[in-house]
Amino acid sequence: MSTTQDFLDFIAASPSSYHAAEEVARTLVAAGFSRQDESAEWSAAPGGHVMVRGGAVMAWYVPEGAGPDSGFRIIGSHTDSPGLALKPTPDFDSAGWQQVAVEVYGGVLLHSWFDRELTVGGQVITKDGNRHLVNTGPLLRLPSLAIHLYRKDEFKPDRQRHMQPVLSVGTPETSVMGVVGKQLGVDPEDIASFNLITADAQRGEVFGAGERLIAAGRMDNLSSVHASLRALLAAAKNADSIEHKDVLVMAAFDHEEVGSTSRYGAGGPILGDILTRTARALGANEEQRFQMFARSSCVSADAAHSVHPNYAEKHDPTHHPIIGQGPVTKINGNQRYASDANTVALWESACRRAGAPVQRFVGNNDVPCGSTIGPISATRLGIPTVDVGVPMLSMHSIRELVGERDQLWLGDALEAYLVG
């Protein structure tokens, strides 16, 4: 199977952050990693380890000979994407239609969600305490208002009134939780709680007359999650040829799209917990743990903006990263990105070793700049960090656009960072 097809399969299997975390863990366990229980004694035995906390997944590979004189080489990313999250009481009727009550999660590009079939995915907790993952397949739709009834030039949907998908018509007995329960084989009355979100039900596709392009949902930021997973697997497979003794870490957080302030997010303790417990398991005392952190580095991998041909004025005139010309180093003087001169040099050296071209993004002074997990985790842990990503168009749309070569180059460069 090609890397691109594996990427599209990964996206299709990951309609929610919970699915993405479990898919990473499943892939790593199949490759020989051991699953770590947070409530059990911590393992830093040579080899691979993986832990899932909600929609976040942390994995670490301990080389032979690692100890208190090692450091950590970390790739950070996030598993969540903007979407429409189901409210606790989701079913309601309106004008003969059965609809689903949702709230907008993250910075959704609202207009792109209309007239697409939506799957419902996420985690369900039943009254017996068991956790289930569900992916309904095409189930909901947000129908547009016909142009004959809407003569305005600019479409501005009301987030409360106009963003509630339809489930059915003329069948008041139909409910979204009934569909979810049937798929899980449980009575809807036995569902205690859930975290469910909508996602595009259409599979990603590769197209293009020349440069091969990938169109798919949730590539912000499954593009980075998949590339970092591929990098960690490749590094672990060739661990015998790695000369350094640093611990290799993949940290895919949840809730980046809403600020990262959760026990699953980069603003929470999860990465610090992993690093501290691993250091202790390797025999490091508190002073040696600080020394290990001082030897460490982090690549924060998240989607980057490609210059848009119809809105080129929105970009800095001297920095025009574009799809098809390599991964992007993201730089911001106001610390919206964590990159500095040292970490930029570290990352771009890895790109050169991997044979990947390098581009740089700096925002237009008149256009607000987004941010990433990079500044958050760097602030929490004091570990030098660089922000990078594949150039993307239609960011936060239900269906985003990246270049196939850029996606491959990102994985190769992340591998070079881990092993070099």
Side-chain angles (χ1 to χ4, degrees):
M1 180 187 298
S2 73
T3 300
T4 298
Q5 286 305 311
D6 187 67
F7 177 42
L8 296 180
D9 288 346
F10 178 75
I11 294 172
S14 305
S16 74
S17 59
Y18 305 100
H19 286 82
E22 291 292 347
E23 188 67 12
V24 168
R26 182 197 65 78
T27 302
L28 290 173
V29 168
F33 280 57
S34 299
R35 189 131 177 179
Q36 173 70 55
D37 182 348
E38 281 193 85
S39 63
E41 183 177 355
W42 202 257
S43 177
H49 310 270
V50 60
M51 184 203 83
V52 172
R53 180 189 289 179
V57 57
M58 305 281 130
W60 56 104
Y61 185 87
V62 182
E64 292 282 353
D69 58 344
S70 299
F72 296 99
R73 300 195 183 200
I74 306 162
I75 303 172
S77 61
H78 66 89
T79 57
D80 63 319
S81 301
L84 306 175
L86 272 63
K87 291 183 176 179
T89 303
D91 293 296
F92 72 99
D93 289 1
S94 177
W97 286 87
Q98 287 66 57
Q99 292 185 261
V100 176
V102 299
E103 62 177 323
V104 177
Y105 176 90
V108 175
L109 199 59
L110 296 179
H111 69 266
S112 69
W113 283 73
F114 284 79
D115 301 325
R116 286 192 173 275
E117 288 65 55
L118 306 176
T119 185
V120 173
Q123 68 173 356
V124 173
I125 309 299
T126 46
K127 290 180 180 177
D128 58 9
N130 288 323
R131 175 178 181 259
H132 311 263
L133 294 186
V134 64
N135 182 9
T136 64
L139 182 64
L140 308 179
R141 184 179 172 96
L142 268 174
S144 294
L145 182 64
I147 194 170
H148 315 81
L149 306 175
Y150 193 91
R151 296 290 184 176
K152 297 179 181 179
D153 290 334
E154 188 174 2
F155 178 52
K156 288 187 176 181
D158 182 280
R159 293 161 70 93
Q160 176 63 34
R161 292 184 298 138
H162 301 149
M163 297 301 295
Q164 311 304 316
V166 298
L167 169 68
S168 183
V169 60
T171 56
E173 68 279 5
T174 303
S175 72
V176 68
M177 296 317 297
V179 174
V180 168
K182 183 177 181 180
Q183 186 172 101
L184 295 177
V186 302
D187 191 308
E189 296 299 318
D190 290 329
I191 294 175
S193 190
F194 56 82
N195 299 108
L196 297 173
I197 195 166
T198 61
D200 185 12
Q202 183 180 355
R203 184 178 172 83
E205 296 180 358
V206 181
F207 71 101
E211 188 73 33
R212 284 167 58 88
L213 305 171
I214 302 173
R218 306 180 298 289
M219 289 193 291
D220 178 8
N221 187 33
L222 295 185
S223 59
S224 299
V225 176
H226 187 264
S228 58
L229 172 62
R230 183 164 70 89
L232 181 61
L233 285 169
K237 184 177 180 181
N238 299 305
D240 290 344
S241 63
I242 300 176
E243 295 184 1
H244 67 76
K245 300 301 179 185
D246 290 344
V247 178
L248 313 181
V249 180
M250 174 186 174
F253 302 95
D254 199 354
H255 298 145
E256 189 274 347
E257 297 293 354
V258 291
S260 295
T261 53
S262 75
R263 64 186 298 264
Y264 316 120
I270 184 168
L271 179 56
D273 290 350
I274 298 298
L275 302 183
T276 296
R277 295 180 75 173
T278 300
R280 288 175 180 168
L282 288 172
N285 58 32
E286 185 176 12
E287 171 60 24
Q288 290 170 320
R289 175 176 65 85
F290 280 114
Q291 293 173 11
M292 292 182 73
F293 280 22
R295 299 187 196 101
S296 301
S297 59
C298 176
V299 175
S300 166
D302 202 347
H305 294 291
S306 168
V307 64
H308 195 302
N310 297 333
Y311 301 91
E313 72 279 1
K314 293 291 186 179
H315 299 263
D316 182 80
T318 61
H319 295 80
H320 272 190
I322 189 168
I323 287 176
Q325 295 187 16
V328 176
T329 309
K330 299 154 74 172
I331 300 167
N332 182 263
N334 293 303
Q335 297 302 298
R336 301 295 288 169
Y337 303 128
S339 309
D340 65 19
N342 290 312
T343 57
V344 167
L346 173 72
W347 167 248
E348 295 186 354
S349 174
C351 289
R352 287 191 294 273
R353 294 196 303 275
V358 173
Q359 306 184 81
R360 293 180 178 179
F361 172 84
V362 179
N364 183 314
N365 289 329
D366 290 327
V367 178
C369 181
S371 192
T372 69
I373 62 123
I376 298 171
S377 60
T379 299
R380 281 191 57 84
L381 301 172
I383 292 176
T385 300
V386 61
D387 274 294
V388 309
V390 292
M392 175 181 290
L393 286 178
S394 305
M395 190 181 294
H396 287 201
S397 169
I398 195 171
R399 199 161 176 86
E400 298 160 328
L401 185 69
V402 303
E404 182 182 39
R405 289 197 301 172
D406 296 327
Q407 182 67 26
L408 298 174
W409 277 324
L410 178 64
D412 293 344
L414 290 172
E415 179 187 352
Y417 160 70
L418 291 178
V419 305

